[in-house]
Amino acid sequence: MTTFASGTDTLTRDALTVLQPGFTGTTAPDWLLRRLGEGLASVGLFGRNIASPEQLAALTAQLRAERDDVLVAIDEEGGDVTRLEVRTGSSFPGNNALGAVDDVDLTRQVAAELGRRLAACGVNLNWAPSADVNSNPENPVIGVRSFGAETDLVARHTAAYVTGLQSAGVAACTKHFPGHGDTAVDSHHALPRIDVEAAVLESRELSPFRAAIAAGTRAVMSAHILVPALDPDHPATLSPTILTDLLRGDLGYDGLIVTDGMEMQAIAGTYGIERGSVLAVAAGADAICVGGGLADDETVRRLRDALVSAVRTGELPEERLAEAAERVRALAHWTAAAAATDAEHTPDTEVGLRAARRALKTTATEPFTPLTEPPYVAALTPVANIAVGDETPWGVAAELFRLLPGTETGSFAGENAGRTALAAAGPRRIVAVVRDEHRHPWMAAALDTLLAARPDTIVVEMGLPQASPRGALHIATHGAARVCGRAAAEVIAGA
């Protein structure tokens, strides 16, 4: 049983309980352990905290030695967004690949296996799945993180993912409410806005969240987006109309509401994280996610003090803060009870690769003969999305090298990318790897150059496949996970 440090009053404990901070390093710093003893109930992990499964298990054990019911959260979507395998790429394809297969049982199996790996490392809350309907193909932050652009497809796979993940004793946190799919701005940098009528939101954006709630999702994450049809003045994370009236009232959800990262500029750049956190809890949020970029004791102290001060000045009702803290503790209780329910399951280490293979869509202008000589892989590389991170490797070069030793590669960008890639490739067969060609005019121009000079070029699209297939062979992987690259490499090399 967890005991709290003497001298920590109930109000201060509750203020700490609703925070989900991050930290730096692969072991828990002293300040974090001290805060756990004072009432902090959640910790967020990122790629910077993880070196190996064994190290992660030791880290979570260190946290639980201080507080046995701590919620250890992570942003592990699989696919392009991985923290467990940040240095190698994920063993699981992401949502868009699963949506392309459209086998809800497979989605459930993938989520369950991912959940088991998280649970084995001591992680019990996953900020996933994304339930966003990617209705805007120009969306810079969702894309292949979505199951697709069709509401019904997204809804059924969201429910399957929630069921699979939670079967492993890991709480799902369905995001980004009320739906981030129809945006053209990344909320890490600014405040996105969705200008559609309430009837469209009801039929499109909200349907997957209703499915997640029916499936029993234990948490829902709010989006830092402005939806004037629902609330013209406040982003969803700070809106009582959206979090309390809509999510709690109309949708009947009674689980934990978690904010997206409060250090993101959509909130921090407008309200500041202290003011934003107070407004979020007052609006109906129960847990304040912070730590993607702010990961120190000073941030925790400032947020705790802001919440306590807001209660004492009457801006934040004390019962609202107490209710939020109790929901955090209730989820911690659920994870502790669910932890042993899946203990005897035999791991399925190949389910991710099977799913990635099934997700491939290949288009050839004529019968394709697999390569027998090592090619040159020209990676046409866009600027990394901050939500995904730029430290996770992607592409097909490493997997092709495994199958065709001697394969070489180069990374190219900008208006001269095509000509530079041609010169680097020399006489070798070119495999051009792109990511969201439709969103990057320079990338499309580079492909034009490559294909004009070398019509036998193989094109691998590892983002959202929107542009028309072209090349001697076009492979759409529906994501850039390591297993997606392996599945494409197997086709190219005839493995």
mmCIF file of all heavy atoms in Angstrom, residues 331-364:
data_model
loop_
_atom_site.group_PDB
_atom_site.id
_atom_site.type_symbol
_atom_site.label_atom_id
_atom_site.label_comp_id
_atom_site.label_asym_id
_atom_site.label_seq_id
_atom_site.Cartn_x
_atom_site.Cartn_y
_atom_site.Cartn_z
ATOM 1 N N LEU A 331 -8.495 4.653 -12.185
ATOM 2 C CA LEU A 331 -7.836 3.982 -13.302
ATOM 3 C C LEU A 331 -6.630 3.196 -12.813
ATOM 4 O O LEU A 331 -6.377 2.081 -13.281
ATOM 5 C CB LEU A 331 -7.411 4.999 -14.360
ATOM 6 C CG LEU A 331 -6.743 4.378 -15.594
ATOM 7 C CD1 LEU A 331 -7.675 3.373 -16.277
ATOM 8 C CD2 LEU A 331 -6.304 5.452 -16.581
ATOM 9 N N ALA A 332 -5.890 3.750 -11.873
ATOM 10 C CA ALA A 332 -4.761 3.015 -11.297
ATOM 11 C C ALA A 332 -5.232 1.715 -10.659
ATOM 12 O O ALA A 332 -4.590 0.666 -10.783
ATOM 13 C CB ALA A 332 -4.037 3.888 -10.276
ATOM 14 N N HIS A 333 -6.378 1.764 -10.001
ATOM 15 C CA HIS A 333 -6.948 0.562 -9.379
ATOM 16 C C HIS A 333 -7.322 -0.468 -10.445
ATOM 17 O O HIS A 333 -7.069 -1.665 -10.291
ATOM 18 C CB HIS A 333 -8.181 0.941 -8.557
ATOM 19 C CG HIS A 333 -8.863 -0.225 -7.911
ATOM 20 N ND1 HIS A 333 -8.368 -0.848 -6.784
ATOM 21 C CD2 HIS A 333 -9.999 -0.898 -8.246
ATOM 22 C CE1 HIS A 333 -9.170 -1.846 -6.452
ATOM 23 N NE2 HIS A 333 -10.168 -1.899 -7.324
ATOM 24 N N TRP A 334 -7.901 0.004 -11.562
ATOM 25 C CA TRP A 334 -8.270 -0.922 -12.641
ATOM 26 C C TRP A 334 -7.042 -1.601 -13.223
ATOM 27 O O TRP A 334 -7.052 -2.807 -13.463
ATOM 28 C CB TRP A 334 -9.015 -0.169 -13.746
ATOM 29 C CG TRP A 334 -9.390 -1.079 -14.893
ATOM 30 C CD1 TRP A 334 -10.505 -1.844 -15.005
ATOM 31 C CD2 TRP A 334 -8.613 -1.325 -16.083
ATOM 32 N NE1 TRP A 334 -10.478 -2.562 -16.186
ATOM 33 C CE2 TRP A 334 -9.338 -2.267 -16.861
ATOM 34 C CE3 TRP A 334 -7.394 -0.853 -16.549
ATOM 35 C CZ2 TRP A 334 -8.862 -2.730 -18.094
ATOM 36 C CZ3 TRP A 334 -6.920 -1.307 -17.768
ATOM 37 C CH2 TRP A 334 -7.658 -2.243 -18.522
ATOM 38 N N THR A 335 -5.992 -0.839 -13.475
ATOM 39 C CA THR A 335 -4.795 -1.437 -14.076
ATOM 40 C C THR A 335 -4.172 -2.471 -13.145
ATOM 41 O O THR A 335 -3.675 -3.502 -13.601
ATOM 42 C CB THR A 335 -3.747 -0.362 -14.433
ATOM 43 O OG1 THR A 335 -3.362 0.342 -13.259
ATOM 44 C CG2 THR A 335 -4.295 0.603 -15.464
ATOM 45 N N ALA A 336 -4.191 -2.198 -11.847
ATOM 46 C CA ALA A 336 -3.634 -3.167 -10.903
ATOM 47 C C ALA A 336 -4.430 -4.458 -10.918
ATOM 48 O O ALA A 336 -3.868 -5.564 -10.880
ATOM 49 C CB ALA A 336 -3.614 -2.564 -9.499
ATOM 50 N N ALA A 337 -5.768 -4.337 -11.009
ATOM 51 C CA ALA A 337 -6.615 -5.533 -11.025
ATOM 52 C C ALA A 337 -6.512 -6.285 -12.336
ATOM 53 O O ALA A 337 -6.633 -7.514 -12.382
ATOM 54 C CB ALA A 337 -8.070 -5.125 -10.770
ATOM 55 N N ALA A 338 -6.256 -5.557 -13.448
ATOM 56 C CA ALA A 338 -6.223 -6.183 -14.769
ATOM 57 C C ALA A 338 -4.866 -6.756 -15.128
ATOM 58 O O ALA A 338 -4.740 -7.500 -16.098
ATOM 59 C CB ALA A 338 -6.633 -5.158 -15.826
ATOM 60 N N ALA A 339 -3.840 -6.443 -14.346
ATOM 61 C CA ALA A 339 -2.466 -6.765 -14.722
ATOM 62 C C ALA A 339 -2.227 -8.251 -14.926
ATOM 63 O O ALA A 339 -1.429 -8.650 -15.773
ATOM 64 C CB ALA A 339 -1.500 -6.213 -13.687
ATOM 65 N N ALA A 340 -2.898 -9.092 -14.166
ATOM 66 C CA ALA A 340 -2.607 -10.528 -14.225
ATOM 67 C C ALA A 340 -3.583 -11.316 -15.095
ATOM 68 O O ALA A 340 -3.495 -12.542 -15.173
ATOM 69 C CB ALA A 340 -2.620 -11.104 -12.805
ATOM 70 N N THR A 341 -4.495 -10.646 -15.791
ATOM 71 C CA THR A 341 -5.540 -11.379 -16.503
ATOM 72 C C THR A 341 -5.046 -12.079 -17.760
ATOM 73 O O THR A 341 -5.688 -12.988 -18.262
ATOM 74 C CB THR A 341 -6.691 -10.420 -16.893
ATOM 75 O OG1 THR A 341 -6.155 -9.385 -17.745
ATOM 76 C CG2 THR A 341 -7.294 -9.788 -15.656
ATOM 77 N N ASP A 342 -3.895 -11.675 -18.284
ATOM 78 C CA ASP A 342 -3.420 -12.212 -19.560
ATOM 79 C C ASP A 342 -2.092 -12.947 -19.402
ATOM 80 O O ASP A 342 -1.355 -13.155 -20.358
ATOM 81 C CB ASP A 342 -3.254 -11.053 -20.554
ATOM 82 C CG ASP A 342 -3.189 -11.538 -22.006
ATOM 83 O OD1 ASP A 342 -4.036 -12.352 -22.375
ATOM 84 O OD2 ASP A 342 -2.284 -11.098 -22.723
ATOM 85 N N ALA A 343 -1.796 -13.373 -18.191
ATOM 86 C CA ALA A 343 -0.458 -13.867 -17.879
ATOM 87 C C ALA A 343 -0.072 -15.127 -18.639
ATOM 88 O O ALA A 343 1.104 -15.371 -18.887
ATOM 89 C CB ALA A 343 -0.352 -14.123 -16.368
ATOM 90 N N GLU A 344 -1.037 -15.961 -19.016
ATOM 91 C CA GLU A 344 -0.698 -17.253 -19.624
ATOM 92 C C GLU A 344 -0.739 -17.234 -21.152
ATOM 93 O O GLU A 344 -0.575 -18.269 -21.786
ATOM 94 C CB GLU A 344 -1.657 -18.323 -19.096
ATOM 95 C CG GLU A 344 -1.541 -18.539 -17.590
ATOM 96 C CD GLU A 344 -2.450 -19.658 -17.101
ATOM 97 O OE1 GLU A 344 -3.155 -20.258 -17.941
ATOM 98 O OE2 GLU A 344 -2.447 -19.907 -15.890
ATOM 99 N N HIS A 345 -0.932 -16.085 -21.758
ATOM 100 C CA HIS A 345 -1.025 -16.023 -23.218
ATOM 101 C C HIS A 345 0.343 -16.255 -23.853
ATOM 102 O O HIS A 345 1.357 -15.739 -23.390
ATOM 103 C CB HIS A 345 -1.567 -14.671 -23.654
ATOM 104 C CG HIS A 345 -1.722 -14.563 -25.140
ATOM 105 N ND1 HIS A 345 -2.862 -14.980 -25.782
ATOM 106 C CD2 HIS A 345 -0.884 -14.123 -26.111
ATOM 107 C CE1 HIS A 345 -2.716 -14.777 -27.086
ATOM 108 N NE2 HIS A 345 -1.524 -14.258 -27.310
ATOM 109 N N THR A 346 0.373 -17.020 -24.925
ATOM 110 C CA THR A 346 1.609 -17.259 -25.661
ATOM 111 C C THR A 346 1.857 -16.081 -26.595
ATOM 112 O O THR A 346 0.994 -15.736 -27.409
ATOM 113 C CB THR A 346 1.524 -18.555 -26.481
ATOM 114 O OG1 THR A 346 1.256 -19.639 -25.601
ATOM 115 C CG2 THR A 346 2.827 -18.792 -27.239
ATOM 116 N N PRO A 347 3.031 -15.441 -26.526
ATOM 117 C CA PRO A 347 3.305 -14.291 -27.395
ATOM 118 C C PRO A 347 3.220 -14.659 -28.876
ATOM 119 O O PRO A 347 3.598 -15.761 -29.278
ATOM 120 C CB PRO A 347 4.740 -13.897 -27.006
ATOM 121 C CG PRO A 347 4.928 -14.447 -25.625
ATOM 122 C CD PRO A 347 4.132 -15.715 -25.581
ATOM 123 N N ASP A 348 2.727 -13.729 -29.667
ATOM 124 C CA ASP A 348 2.660 -13.900 -31.115
ATOM 125 C C ASP A 348 3.612 -12.881 -31.727
ATOM 126 O O ASP A 348 3.221 -11.770 -32.070
ATOM 127 C CB ASP A 348 1.228 -13.692 -31.616
ATOM 128 C CG ASP A 348 1.081 -13.974 -33.107
ATOM 129 O OD1 ASP A 348 2.113 -14.202 -33.764
ATOM 130 O OD2 ASP A 348 -0.051 -13.957 -33.598
ATOM 131 N N THR A 349 4.871 -13.250 -31.866
ATOM 132 C CA THR A 349 5.898 -12.299 -32.270
ATOM 133 C C THR A 349 5.813 -11.915 -33.745
ATOM 134 O O THR A 349 6.436 -10.941 -34.161
ATOM 135 C CB THR A 349 7.298 -12.862 -31.984
ATOM 136 O OG1 THR A 349 7.456 -14.105 -32.695
ATOM 137 C CG2 THR A 349 7.485 -13.119 -30.489
ATOM 138 N N GLU A 350 5.056 -12.651 -34.535
ATOM 139 C CA GLU A 350 4.995 -12.395 -35.971
ATOM 140 C C GLU A 350 3.722 -11.686 -36.419
ATOM 141 O O GLU A 350 3.558 -11.414 -37.607
ATOM 142 C CB GLU A 350 5.120 -13.725 -36.738
ATOM 143 C CG GLU A 350 6.461 -14.420 -36.560
ATOM 144 C CD GLU A 350 7.600 -13.609 -37.163
ATOM 145 O OE1 GLU A 350 7.492 -13.222 -38.340
ATOM 146 O OE2 GLU A 350 8.577 -13.353 -36.443
ATOM 147 N N VAL A 351 2.815 -11.372 -35.487
ATOM 148 C CA VAL A 351 1.535 -10.802 -35.904
ATOM 149 C C VAL A 351 1.713 -9.453 -36.591
ATOM 150 O O VAL A 351 1.010 -9.132 -37.557
ATOM 151 C CB VAL A 351 0.559 -10.697 -34.706
ATOM 152 C CG1 VAL A 351 1.044 -9.698 -33.659
ATOM 153 C CG2 VAL A 351 -0.841 -10.338 -35.196
ATOM 154 N N GLY A 352 2.673 -8.652 -36.134
ATOM 155 C CA GLY A 352 2.906 -7.353 -36.762
ATOM 156 C C GLY A 352 3.388 -7.483 -38.195
ATOM 157 O O GLY A 352 2.944 -6.755 -39.090
ATOM 158 N N LEU A 353 4.307 -8.423 -38.433
ATOM 159 C CA LEU A 353 4.822 -8.625 -39.784
ATOM 160 C C LEU A 353 3.736 -9.178 -40.704
ATOM 161 O O LEU A 353 3.618 -8.761 -41.861
ATOM 162 C CB LEU A 353 6.035 -9.561 -39.754
ATOM 163 C CG LEU A 353 6.689 -9.852 -41.104
ATOM 164 C CD1 LEU A 353 7.141 -8.563 -41.785
ATOM 165 C CD2 LEU A 353 7.870 -10.808 -40.918
ATOM 166 N N ARG A 354 2.927 -10.101 -40.192
ATOM 167 C CA ARG A 354 1.831 -10.622 -41.005
ATOM 168 C C ARG A 354 0.886 -9.497 -41.416
ATOM 169 O O ARG A 354 0.432 -9.437 -42.561
ATOM 170 C CB ARG A 354 1.053 -11.694 -40.238
ATOM 171 C CG ARG A 354 1.825 -12.974 -39.972
ATOM 172 C CD ARG A 354 0.875 -14.130 -39.651
ATOM 173 N NE ARG A 354 -0.044 -13.843 -38.578
ATOM 174 C CZ ARG A 354 0.212 -14.015 -37.293
ATOM 175 N NH1 ARG A 354 1.403 -14.461 -36.905
ATOM 176 N NH2 ARG A 354 -0.694 -13.743 -36.373
ATOM 177 N N ALA A 355 0.595 -8.614 -40.484
ATOM 178 C CA ALA A 355 -0.297 -7.496 -40.785
ATOM 179 C C ALA A 355 0.329 -6.559 -41.812
ATOM 180 O O ALA A 355 -0.345 -6.087 -42.735
ATOM 181 C CB ALA A 355 -0.633 -6.732 -39.506
ATOM 182 N N ALA A 356 1.622 -6.278 -41.666
ATOM 183 C CA ALA A 356 2.302 -5.391 -42.615
ATOM 184 C C ALA A 356 2.301 -5.978 -44.016
ATOM 185 O O ALA A 356 2.121 -5.262 -45.007
ATOM 186 C CB ALA A 356 3.736 -5.129 -42.144
ATOM 187 N N ARG A 357 2.510 -7.282 -44.125
ATOM 188 C CA ARG A 357 2.487 -7.932 -45.442
ATOM 189 C C ARG A 357 1.105 -7.824 -46.074
ATOM 190 O O ARG A 357 0.975 -7.560 -47.273
ATOM 191 C CB ARG A 357 2.886 -9.398 -45.297
ATOM 192 C CG ARG A 357 4.374 -9.622 -45.024
ATOM 193 C CD ARG A 357 4.635 -11.058 -44.624
ATOM 194 N NE ARG A 357 6.062 -11.336 -44.482
ATOM 195 C CZ ARG A 357 6.548 -12.356 -43.765
ATOM 196 N NH1 ARG A 357 5.715 -13.181 -43.126
ATOM 197 N NH2 ARG A 357 7.846 -12.551 -43.693
ATOM 198 N N ARG A 358 0.068 -8.022 -45.280
ATOM 199 C CA ARG A 358 -1.289 -7.958 -45.814
ATOM 200 C C ARG A 358 -1.678 -6.541 -46.215
ATOM 201 O O ARG A 358 -2.559 -6.359 -47.069
ATOM 202 C CB ARG A 358 -2.279 -8.506 -44.794
ATOM 203 C CG ARG A 358 -2.184 -10.013 -44.571
ATOM 204 C CD ARG A 358 -3.186 -10.495 -43.533
ATOM 205 N NE ARG A 358 -4.566 -10.244 -43.941
ATOM 206 C CZ ARG A 358 -5.622 -10.483 -43.167
ATOM 207 N NH1 ARG A 358 -5.446 -10.959 -41.933
ATOM 208 N NH2 ARG A 358 -6.850 -10.240 -43.608
ATOM 209 N N ALA A 359 -1.042 -5.548 -45.612
ATOM 210 C CA ALA A 359 -1.405 -4.158 -45.885
ATOM 211 C C ALA A 359 -0.820 -3.639 -47.190
ATOM 212 O O ALA A 359 -1.267 -2.603 -47.700
ATOM 213 C CB ALA A 359 -0.944 -3.267 -44.737
ATOM 214 N N LEU A 360 0.183 -4.306 -47.746
ATOM 215 C CA LEU A 360 0.828 -3.818 -48.956
ATOM 216 C C LEU A 360 -0.156 -3.753 -50.124
ATOM 217 O O LEU A 360 -0.951 -4.662 -50.332
ATOM 218 C CB LEU A 360 1.989 -4.723 -49.363
ATOM 219 C CG LEU A 360 3.228 -4.775 -48.473
ATOM 220 C CD1 LEU A 360 4.294 -5.629 -49.134
ATOM 221 C CD2 LEU A 360 3.769 -3.383 -48.178
ATOM 222 N N LYS A 361 -0.042 -2.696 -50.909
ATOM 223 C CA LYS A 361 -0.763 -2.603 -52.175
ATOM 224 C C LYS A 361 0.268 -2.372 -53.272
ATOM 225 O O LYS A 361 0.983 -1.366 -53.264
ATOM 226 C CB LYS A 361 -1.779 -1.468 -52.156
ATOM 227 C CG LYS A 361 -2.558 -1.366 -53.472
ATOM 228 C CD LYS A 361 -3.588 -0.253 -53.432
ATOM 229 C CE LYS A 361 -4.349 -0.181 -54.759
ATOM 230 N NZ LYS A 361 -5.352 0.908 -54.770
ATOM 231 N N THR A 362 0.380 -3.295 -54.202
ATOM 232 C CA THR A 362 1.371 -3.194 -55.261
ATOM 233 C C THR A 362 0.697 -2.953 -56.605
ATOM 234 O O THR A 362 -0.347 -3.530 -56.901
ATOM 235 C CB THR A 362 2.227 -4.471 -55.337
ATOM 236 O OG1 THR A 362 1.372 -5.587 -55.614
ATOM 237 C CG2 THR A 362 2.962 -4.711 -54.026
ATOM 238 N N THR A 363 1.318 -2.080 -57.398
ATOM 239 C CA THR A 363 0.836 -1.773 -58.740
ATOM 240 C C THR A 363 2.032 -1.828 -59.683
ATOM 241 O O THR A 363 3.045 -1.162 -59.437
ATOM 242 C CB THR A 363 0.209 -0.373 -58.804
ATOM 243 O OG1 THR A 363 -0.792 -0.252 -57.792
ATOM 244 C CG2 THR A 363 -0.427 -0.124 -60.161
ATOM 245 N N ALA A 364 1.943 -2.619 -60.740
ATOM 246 C CA ALA A 364 3.047 -2.759 -61.687
ATOM 247 C C ALA A 364 2.563 -2.452 -63.097
ATOM 248 O O ALA A 364 1.437 -2.799 -63.472
ATOM 249 C CB ALA A 364 3.630 -4.170 -61.630
#
